[in-house]
Structure formats: structure tokens, C-alpha cells
Amino acid sequence: MKAGIIGTGHYVPEQVVTNHDLEKIVDTSDEWIRTRTGIEERRIAPDDVDTSDMAYHAAVQAIDEANLTAEDIDMILVATVTPDMGFPSVACQLQARLGARQIAAMDISAACSGFIYGVVTAKQFIEANVHQNILVVGVEKLSKITDWSDRNTSVLFGDGAGAAIVGSVSEERGILAHELGADGSGIPHLHQTEEDFIYMNGREVFKFAVRQMGDSSLNVVKKAGLTKDDVDYLIPHQANIRIMEAARENLDIPVEKMSKSVHKYGNTSAASIPIALSEDVKAGKIKDNDVTVLVGFGGGLTWGAIALRWGK
Ligand code: ACO
């Protein structure tokens, strides 16, 4: 039994907030944000659209793309650090709203690495033949924990959702290798404050991210018994174009083979990798048999990477 991704979906709110819009709120400039991060605009959800709403839209699309119905889903995993409420989980909200059976449903908290954690968790249940079709969602409404008066963080983040169905695929396809890790000693550098806002020491996180994205992506390629030359496509966590470029250069991958949506969505944390995956699959950028590397890092500090061969 081999696990792979058999359907993808994504949803982003309609409202676009540009760098120029932010110039009116904090002491920043379009030029600073573009050159330091690669971000040009981001999507922000309105008050009446919460995390579970975005998750629902992405999930419906992924279930449909996998040619399944909600009844076929036998586990729901939602990666988020911005649930609608402390409990119940977004996964339980989704179970009810999708009309799924009374299956296992839970949230995963691993910040920007959460979707990778979710897919790797799903893989274990599929390959143990315990479950057949697992819905994994990465979703964030970061705008509700963003301090809009803090220029160090408010220019970086956006809202959105991405989803994937993890199911069984043929022996030649699917997830070839993975790596997950965490280092809680990094908590002072990136965490939620008592006022519920994001605090980030950008320089420390930057250094960690460059090292970890490079190491983890190479590690999964090696674990899969492959070399850099075998990699057809790279989807790095869309946090900052300079961090993404470092990961790309580490794998010697040409620019056109790296996913890039940071300019239009900013950093959507757990949603960034599944949004990119869903968009790129629909745009035909990832083709059957392509060796694809997904790699992310985030608060925890956490990290994760997956090497997979695309297709069923
Ligand atoms: N506009 C203008 N100036 C700014 C802004 C802004 N929006 N933000 C910070 N600055 C200023 C700072 O005040 C500081 O000024 P100072 O030197 O006078 O004190 C200076 O710019 C900061 O310069 P650098 O630290 O050199 O900026 P750097 O090139 O490192 O870029 C950035 C900062 C973009 C935050 C970068 O460090 C970064 O991307 N870090 C990683 C962030 C990340 O990816 N986090 C992901 C995890 S998020 C999660 O898990 C939810």
C-alpha cells in the first residue's frame, strides 16, 4: 500500500490588500516589502468569513477533484494555528458541514509546517490500511492575530486555505520519503503573545529557515534514493522569496520549476503549501510522474519536507 495525493483544492478570500494599502496604516513602503519579502499583495478575509469557512471551500474542491463524495472521507486532519475557537476543532466543524460520516477528526498545530505534518500523519493511516481517503486541510485566518500597527509582522501575512486528499496510489507513485522535526528552544523567536498577536524575531527566523529548508529538502531527496537532478518541481513554504530562493539554489533547480505565489498571497502559514500545490496542479505545472518536493518551516520551531512522485 502506497500513499499519495489524489485530489487538491484551495480557497482565498476576495479582498486584496496591496502594499500601497499598508503604507496608509504603518510606516512602510511598497519598495521595502517587495525587496525584502517578494510580497506585493495578500488576501484578507472579512469578519463574517472564519477559518472553517475557508477550509470548507478548499475541502469541497479537493473531494471533488479526487472524484469522491464527503461520505468517502474516513478521517479529517486540519492544520491551523487560527481555529474559529479554542475547541471544538476546525476538523469537527468540517465533519458536520461536509456531511461526512462520524469519522475521526482533529486539528494539528505546527504553524507553517502544519500541512506537511498532516500529510505525513495521513500517510501512516493509509499505509497501515486503517483508512482509505483522508482529507488534509491547511488553513489560516492570520489577519485575526495580526497586530496591524506592527510593521515587522503586518506586511507579511495573509488568509487562505488549501486541501488535499491522501489516498492509496500505485507502487510507482506517491510519497517516497519525508522528514519532520521540531525545536522548542526557538519559541522566543516566534510565538503568539498574551495579547494574541504574532511576535517574530525576523532575523533569527530567517537564518533558521534558510538552513532548515535547504537541509530538509536535500534530506528527503536522499532518503527517497534520488539525487538533486531527479527533482522536477519544488514547492517551498511561501514565506519570503529570499528564503525560497535559498532552498531552490540548494537543490540546483531552475526558477521555472519552483512554485511562487508569495507575491500575491503573502505568507498564509499552514495554507501556503497546499494553496500552491492546488494552483500548480490545475495550471499543469506538476505532471504525472514528476518528482515533487514540498518543504516548510514555521513556529515551534517546526519543519517538514516530503518527496513524492506525482500521480495515482
Ligand atoms: N517596512 C519598513 N521597514 C521595516 C519593516 C517594514 N514593513 N519591517 C521592519 N522594518 C525595519 C526594521 O525596523 C529594521 O530597522 P532597523 O534596522 O532600523 O531596526 C529593519 O527594517 C529590519 O531590517 P532587517 O532585519 O535587515 O530586515 P530583513 O532583511 O531581515 O527582513 C524580514 C525582515 C522580512 C522579516 C525577514 O527577516 C524575514 O522574512 N524573516 C523570516 C520571517 C518568516 O518567514 N516567518 C515565517 C514564520 S511565520 C509563522 O510561523 C506564522
Side-chain angles (χ1 to χ4, degrees):
M1 189 74 73
K2 192 85 173 293
I5 293 175
I6 60 170
T8 60
H10 67 281
Y11 173 86
V12 290
E14 275 173 29
Q15 193 197 348
V16 175
V17 174
T18 66
N19 293 346
H20 294 293
D21 294 328
L22 292 177
E23 285 173 351
K24 295 172 200 145
I25 305 173
V26 284
D27 180 14
T28 190
S29 67
D30 174 54
E31 202 267 333
W32 192 95
I33 304 171
R34 272 175 203 262
T35 53
R36 300 296 177 109
T37 72
I39 299 166
E40 294 167 21
E41 55 189 46
R42 69 285 294 139
R43 301 297 179 95
I44 301 295
D47 288 347
D48 61 350
V49 173
D50 212 336
T51 301
S52 64
D53 300 307
M54 295 189 282
Y56 173 76
H57 295 304
V60 166
Q61 202 181 87
I63 293 168
D64 189 50
E65 195 180 284
N67 288 320
L68 299 173
T69 68
E71 298 245 309
D72 299 315
I73 301 300
D74 45 22
M75 186 177 209
I76 300 175
L77 301 172
V78 176
T80 187
V81 294
T82 50
D84 294 24
M85 47 200 146
F87 77 93
S89 64
V90 175
C92 284
Q93 291 176 283
L94 268 188
Q95 182 273 333
R97 192 156 165 193
L98 288 168
R101 289 178 286 127
Q102 293 178 356
I103 47 162
M106 64 176 173
D107 286 2
I108 293 175
S109 177
C112 311
S113 316
F115 178 75
I116 305 269
Y117 268 68
V119 170
V120 172
T121 304
K123 171 186 186 289
Q124 313 308 319
F125 284 100
I126 299 291
E127 295 188 351
N129 210 5
V130 174
H131 294 308
Q132 273 70 52
N133 299 301
I134 301 179
L135 169 64
V136 182
V137 182
V139 56
E140 300 293 0
K141 190 178 179 186
L142 290 173
S143 59
K144 65 183 176 184
I145 60 164
T146 299
D147 177 355
W148 290 99
S149 66
D150 176 14
R151 69 175 184 177
N152 289 301
T153 52
S154 62
V155 302
L156 302 175
F157 302 113
D159 301 335
I165 307 296
V166 179
S168 65
V169 295
S170 62
E171 205 43 52
E172 305 75 45
R173 301 286 187 280
I175 298 166
L176 307 170
H178 72 267
E179 172 173 288
L180 296 179
D183 176 7
S185 72
I187 292 171
H189 302 315
L190 186 54
H191 57 262
Q192 197 169 358
T193 64
E194 277 176 20
E195 292 79 35
D196 280 347
F197 291 137
I198 300 167
Y199 167 81
M200 189 179 68
N201 178 336
R203 271 180 214 182
E204 285 301 324
V205 176
F206 191 95
K207 279 190 281 182
F208 157 76
V210 167
R211 189 182 68 245
Q212 202 56 56
M213 297 263 275
D215 288 354
S216 295
S217 45
L218 264 184
N219 286 347
V220 290
V221 170
K222 282 185 198 151
K223 274 192 204 172
L226 302 171
T227 68
K228 290 178 186 181
D229 293 342
D230 298 312
V231 179
D232 297 299
Y233 203 69
L234 172 68
I235 304 186
H237 170 43
Q238 308 281 310
N240 180 320
I241 192 68
R242 289 151 58 209
I243 299 172
M244 292 159 56
E245 279 297 321
R248 183 182 70 73
E249 281 163 19
N250 203 48
L251 279 180
D252 292 330
I253 289 187
V255 179
E256 65 277 10
K257 290 191 170 181
M258 179 179 78
S259 183
K260 182 175 165 269
S261 54
V262 68
H263 59 295
K264 51 182 185 170
Y265 302 140
N267 178 353
T268 58
S269 186
S272 109
I273 292 174
I275 290 173
L277 179 67
S278 176
E279 283 198 333
D280 293 343
V281 166
K282 287 162 188 59
K285 292 183 185 171
I286 303 173
K287 293 176 281 304
D288 185 49
N289 208 33
D290 276 356
V291 172
T292 306
V293 172
L294 316 180
V295 61
F297 68 93
L301 300 166
T302 58
W303 59 91
I306 291 171
L308 58 85
R309 197 178 279 283
W310 190 253
K312 298 185 187 175

